Amino acid sequence: MSSFEQGGPAVPAATSAGPAPAWASHRTPSADRPERVTVAVYAADPVLRLGVVQQLRQRPEIDLLADADAERAEVSLVVVDQVDDDVAALLHRLRHNTATRTGLVVATLGSGSLQRVIECGVAAVLRRAEADQDQLLRLVLAIANGEGVLPGDLLGKLLSHVGSLQRSALDPRGLSLSTLTTREADMLRMVSEGLDTAEIARKTSYSERTVKNILHEVITRLQLRNRAHAVGYALRNGLI
């Protein structure tokens, strides 16, 4: 059984019977200041946890919580190398805690993992290489304010993925949001690359007459003037 697959509450408290669990949080001793954001830090690697805790405990805006209080944190920060099944299980548990919003500080995150963490309710992502004190503070404050934060390249991947899902949901047979079939979009893409009717026919194994009819149908249906106009329309609407 991995250190993440533990029974009981999502955030077990440390006891005198043994060391604190791998996923642990810390509190900076200080007087109660309600305006501060309460934060719990989780990391399987104690070195990673210590690095983030040391960065945040220096900030007066942050109130780092002890293990016993971690479930009432406004913000939960999960610090990992990558998203595996154990990390996903923790993120799912945190998602069910309505008192907290979750941020992820991660070394590497592919497009598949990005979808996974979004499904787990993660509100914001920061790459570990960029996780200095100022960036961590901005991340925590953004999460506490109900904002979502993603690195620019990951946001682009997410938007592309969402767009693909929308097109599939609209018509599994291949209709896009702007009423182009996959075949029509492919032909317009070839037109944009400078191919003529005969070349498109050879690449698609259609007759030249069929290629002309398909392109004519697109131009007529979308009330466009010619092939160049159709290519421009498709490019502006992100269809090719």
Side-chain angles (χ1 to χ4, degrees), residues 10-32:
V11 186
T15 68
S16 58
W23 293 101
S25 55
H26 292 264
R27 183 186 182 99
T28 301
S30 62
D32 290 334

Side-chain angles (χ1 to χ4, degrees), residues 5-237:
E5 299 297 329
Q6 299 175 351
V11 186
T15 68
S16 58
W23 293 101
S25 55
H26 292 264
R27 183 186 182 99
T28 301
S30 62
D32 290 334
R33 294 175 58 185
E35 69 274 14
R36 294 191 297 169
V37 179
T38 53
V39 178
V41 177
Y42 302 83
D45 184 337
V47 175
L48 294 182
R49 181 191 59 198
L50 181 61
V52 172
V53 167
Q54 287 181 334
Q55 297 272 33
L56 291 177
R57 66 158 40 114
Q58 302 174 42
R59 303 302 304 231
E61 304 94 331
I62 303 299
D63 183 12
L64 288 165
L65 297 182
D67 300 340
D69 298 322
E71 287 189 350
R72 67 175 179 83
E74 297 171 68
V75 175
S76 295
L77 283 186
V78 177
V79 187
V80 294
D81 287 320
Q82 60 187 2
V83 177
D84 56 19
D85 290 342
D86 293 334
V87 174
L90 174 68
L91 295 175
H92 274 296
R93 291 199 296 271
L94 291 172
R95 183 179 188 179
H96 293 300
N97 178 3
T98 57
T100 194
R101 298 184 80 237
T102 304
L104 180 69
V105 181
V106 62
T108 59
L109 188 68
S111 56
S113 296
L114 175 61
Q115 179 187 352
R116 192 177 192 185
V117 301
I118 296 299
E119 290 172 349
C120 290
V122 171
V125 176
L126 177 65
R127 286 198 173 89
R128 261 189 22 221
E130 302 168 359
D132 59 20
Q133 185 180 121
D134 290 337
Q135 291 290 347
L136 284 169
L137 178 63
R138 278 194 282 269
L139 185 75
V140 168
L141 296 181
I143 295 170
N145 288 331
E147 301 170 10
V149 180
L150 282 178
D153 63 312
L154 293 182
L155 179 59
K157 290 179 182 178
L158 179 61
L159 292 175
S160 296
H161 178 71
V162 170
S164 176
L165 291 178
Q166 287 176 327
R167 288 191 290 273
S168 298
L170 186 65
D171 191 332
R173 296 169 301 172
L175 287 180
S176 74
L177 293 174
S178 295
T179 69
L180 285 185
T181 66
T182 301
R183 181 174 66 173
E184 290 169 343
D186 287 342
M187 286 194 180
L188 282 179
R189 188 177 298 108
M190 285 183 269
V191 172
S192 74
E193 293 169 353
L195 276 64
D196 61 22
T197 301
E199 291 170 322
I200 294 173
R202 284 196 297 273
K203 288 181 72 71
T204 60
S205 299
Y206 291 121
S207 69
E208 292 186 34
R209 183 180 181 84
T210 299
V211 171
K212 289 178 181 178
N213 288 341
I214 290 172
L215 292 173
H216 178 73
E217 166 61 22
V218 172
I219 292 168
T220 302
R221 187 173 72 246
L222 300 180
Q223 299 180 344
L224 304 171
R225 293 189 299 275
N226 49 42
R227 292 187 183 186
H229 192 190
V231 168
Y233 174 90
L235 288 170
R236 285 193 301 273
N237 288 277

